Amino acid sequence: MEATIGLEVHVRLRTESKLFCGCSTETVGAEPNENTCPICLGFPGSKPMVNRKAVEHGVRVAKALSCGLVPEVRFSRKSYFYPDMPKNYQITQYEVPLAEGGYMTVNGERIRIRRVHLEEDPAKLVHVGGDITSSRYNLIDYNRSGVPLAEIVTEPDIEDTKEARLFLEKLGVMLDHLGVYDPHAEGSLRVDANVSVDGGSRVEVKNITGFRNVEKALTFEVVRQRSMARMGIDVSRETRHFDAETGSTSSLRSKEQEEDYGYIIEPDLVKINLRPEWVQGIEATMPELPDQRTRRLVEQHGISGFQAGVIVEAGLAMSLFYEECCRLYGDAGTVANWLVTYLLKSLNYMGLMLRESGVEPETFVELLTLIDEGVISERTAKELIKDYAASGESPRLIVEEKGLALMDMDELKAVVSEVVSMNPKAVEDYLGGTGKASEYLVGQVLRRVRARADANVVRKIIIDMLDSNEGNASVAQ
Ligand code: ADP
Ligand code: MG
Ligand code: ZN
């Protein structure tokens, strides 16, 4: 749906300790408020120190998005009062972001990146007995307070709601390649989505998790804003909340202006020079990025750009899976066909991630080998792959358990003879010139043997049998 959209994406950076203290960033399995200290609890007099690893990750993100880096990194205080922020200010970057002026392409369109900056995550509010608008009271978990985030801000270059989702999916795969974030950790990527229609005021929908939810929230907003405009009501500049349950947005507050935050440069942190040699060291160890990987898969494995794109966009794990299968199996084209057309489709249909499915390169290759060996037909393989994707069980075992192996010729011919002798009328019709009568027989045989024979093979045996004396002999019995 057409609109003007700009995204502010908060990515939780994968570091062991927090951005300004030594506390663990582990939030899963930790007791509430276990990983805290005077710095991340904002005690007066506590002094922050910058986590080098977080800056390194930020530089990787900036470089991957073709941004220009600032020579000197500074942090700022963004002042506001909220229980998730005990210092009453968040340490972020405002006047001088880590990096500016990059882009990422989505379907050939450039989406400009305005800035990439580092900031600390506030604490987590736990809404008890409801959500942000209806809860009876809130609990606060400061384990998340001070966890490093990179905020990536786009220009309003995104022109439709679906493009916003594609942008995020591609960004997610890129960040996964960079090794700077954990795509599977809850809330590791949160989005503030800004949207306006037909030159009207923009609305910011805060803190959405899940790429599909972003698309839904935006679509809801576009419809809402359009219908307001049609009724002659001005859309007001405000911040809204997305409710994933109902798929709707509701007003949180009218939009605050940046000057309300009274930014000042953080006086407790020194500026950090990004030495060119240090930056070059990081650049030298940049991993292969999704677009490069797509091009290489095409060149190295001779698969189509479409197939390579699908594999790469399915995530880093899927790319590695594909290449491991190629190594084990040899024929990269066949692997790509079966992977893209059948395996991915089955996984998507069941809403399973590769890593949740139990599917492994060894067993996937086993499936392809079963076809090559003539143990199963392609048709059976296409059915079997659904069970395989669901369970990850060895295809050879599934074939045995379900009796899916192709029959040998003699066995199959015996079944055909039996069917032919049991259906004299069809045989008579066929011999009398009703060609399609043989199809009835094919159907009867397939009903008995199911997946264990190929329809074309069965058809050929029947026609041969009917056209020869054998067929006549059967009728005469
Ligand atoms: P703020 O200062 O309110 O955060 P910014 O100018 O920093 O606003 O922009 C925040 C986000 O809003 C950016 O991602 C930007 O692309 C987006 N944005 C700016 N103008 C528009 C618009 N007219 N429609 C939709 N999004 C917009
Ligand atoms: Mg903003
Ligand atoms: Zn701490």
Side-chain angles (χ1 to χ4, degrees), residues 39-305:
I39 295 173
C40 54
L41 287 173
F43 283 20
S46 61
K47 293 280 183 281
M49 290 220 300
V50 177
N51 180 337
R52 166 193 284 257
K53 189 88 190 177
V55 179
E56 224 175 278
H57 282 347
V59 169
R60 284 203 178 88
V61 173
K63 286 287 168 189
L65 293 168
S66 309
C67 292
L69 285 174
V70 278
E72 284 174 350
V73 177
R74 285 163 189 267
F75 287 89
S76 301
R77 292 182 177 182
K78 175 181 184 175
S79 296
Y80 65 95
F81 173 79
Y82 207 65
D84 64 7
M85 202 73 257
K87 306 193 285 295
N88 286 345
Y89 59 83
Q90 177 192 28
I91 307 181
T92 177
Q93 294 186 293
Y94 178 63
E95 300 86 343
V96 222
L98 177 69
E100 287 179 298
Y103 67 90
M104 192 176 82
T105 50
V106 176
N107 287 342
E109 301 278 342
R110 265 191 190 204
I111 311 297
R112 286 169 301 156
I113 305 296
R114 184 181 290 179
R115 54 191 275 150
V116 175
H117 72 247
L118 298 171
E119 65 185 29
E120 57 178 338
D121 208 351
K124 184 179 168 131
L125 293 183
V126 180
H127 305 292
V128 180
D131 67 5
I132 190 169
T133 52
S134 62
S135 59
R136 286 172 47 232
Y137 59 92
N138 292 323
L139 296 173
I140 311 175
D141 183 357
Y142 289 101
N143 282 346
R144 203 178 72 183
S145 170
V147 163
L149 302 178
E151 177 169 339
I152 301 163
V153 182
T154 76
E155 295 291 342
D157 287 349
I158 300 169
E159 290 170 343
D160 108 32
T161 51
K162 180 163 174 238
E163 190 179 30
R165 174 167 61 80
L166 295 178
F167 172 86
L168 291 168
E169 283 172 355
K170 187 160 182 193
L171 182 66
V173 173
M174 176 187 276
L175 295 166
D176 192 10
H177 275 68
L178 287 171
V180 300
Y181 104 125
D182 178 359
H184 309 301
E186 198 200 325
S188 56
L189 202 149
R190 305 195 299 268
V191 179
D192 298 342
N194 299 270
V195 52
S196 60
V197 297
D198 309 324
S201 305
R202 78 169 177 276
V203 163
E204 179 173 10
V205 188
K206 274 276 182 205
N207 216 358
I208 317 169
T209 50
F211 303 157
R212 295 220 164 255
N213 281 339
V214 173
E215 187 180 0
K216 276 189 208 153
L218 286 169
T219 305
F220 181 89
E221 265 309 300
V222 173
V223 172
R224 188 184 70 86
Q225 293 179 20
R226 287 247 160 81
S227 52
M228 284 182 66
R230 252 199 312 276
M231 291 186 289
I233 307 169
D234 279 342
V235 173
S236 50
R237 177 94 188 267
E238 62 180 355
T239 302
R240 295 177 74 87
H241 164 72
F242 175 67
D243 182 346
E245 294 278 312
T246 58
S248 62
T249 68
S250 55
S251 183
L252 275 181
R253 53 179 180 264
S254 63
K255 173 75 185 163
E256 58 286 309
Q257 301 297 317
E258 288 298 344
E259 52 269 25
D260 296 342
Y261 292 118
Y263 286 97
I264 55 164
I265 296 283
E266 167 63 64
D268 284 341
L269 289 169
V270 293
K271 59 186 187 211
I272 305 167
N273 289 310
L274 296 182
R275 280 184 298 110
E277 314 86 78
W278 186 74
V279 173
Q280 281 157 15
I282 295 172
E283 281 183 286
T285 58
M286 288 277 280
E288 185 178 48
L289 294 176
D291 286 346
Q292 291 168 298
R293 188 181 289 270
T294 304
R295 280 194 294 276
R296 180 175 60 76
L297 292 186
V298 170
E299 281 162 25
Q300 188 176 333
H301 297 297
I303 61 177
S304 72

Side-chain angles (χ1 to χ4, degrees), residues 233-410:
I233 307 169
D234 279 342
V235 173
S236 50
R237 177 94 188 267
E238 62 180 355
T239 302
R240 295 177 74 87
H241 164 72
F242 175 67
D243 182 346
E245 294 278 312
T246 58
S248 62
T249 68
S250 55
S251 183
L252 275 181
R253 53 179 180 264
S254 63
K255 173 75 185 163
E256 58 286 309
Q257 301 297 317
E258 288 298 344
E259 52 269 25
D260 296 342
Y261 292 118
Y263 286 97
I264 55 164
I265 296 283
E266 167 63 64
D268 284 341
L269 289 169
V270 293
K271 59 186 187 211
I272 305 167
N273 289 310
L274 296 182
R275 280 184 298 110
E277 314 86 78
W278 186 74
V279 173
Q280 281 157 15
I282 295 172
E283 281 183 286
T285 58
M286 288 277 280
E288 185 178 48
L289 294 176
D291 286 346
Q292 291 168 298
R293 188 181 289 270
T294 304
R295 280 194 294 276
R296 180 175 60 76
L297 292 186
V298 170
E299 281 162 25
Q300 188 176 333
H301 297 297
I303 61 177
S304 72
F306 170 76
Q307 287 179 322
V310 171
I311 293 169
V312 170
E313 279 152 32
L316 180 58
M318 188 56 80
S319 298
L320 298 175
F321 178 88
Y322 171 66
E323 294 214 84
E324 178 61 9
C325 290
C326 292
R327 199 183 63 77
L328 294 171
Y329 184 73
D331 180 354
T334 301
V335 174
N337 283 339
W338 282 85
L339 186 65
V340 170
T341 317
Y342 302 106
L343 181 63
L344 261 175
K345 238 177 229 164
S346 296
L347 290 173
N348 288 344
Y349 181 73
M350 291 181 291
L352 277 180
M353 308 280 297
L354 181 67
R355 72 186 181 108
E356 302 166 321
S357 70
V359 165
E360 298 285 344
E362 289 74 18
T363 46
F364 187 63
V365 164
E366 187 178 295
L367 179 81
L368 303 182
T369 309
L370 289 172
I371 306 170
D372 295 341
E373 289 171 350
V375 175
I376 55 173
S377 65
E378 290 203 7
R379 184 163 147 251
T380 302
K382 287 169 198 172
E383 281 302 309
L384 171 70
I385 210 163
K386 295 175 193 162
D387 285 342
Y388 167 61
S391 66
E393 196 183 337
S394 147
R396 211 175 272 282
L397 283 181
I398 301 178
V399 167
E400 272 171 32
E401 276 165 17
K402 300 208 161 175
L404 299 172
L406 288 168
M407 292 171 131
D408 69 43
M409 262 310 178
D410 290 343

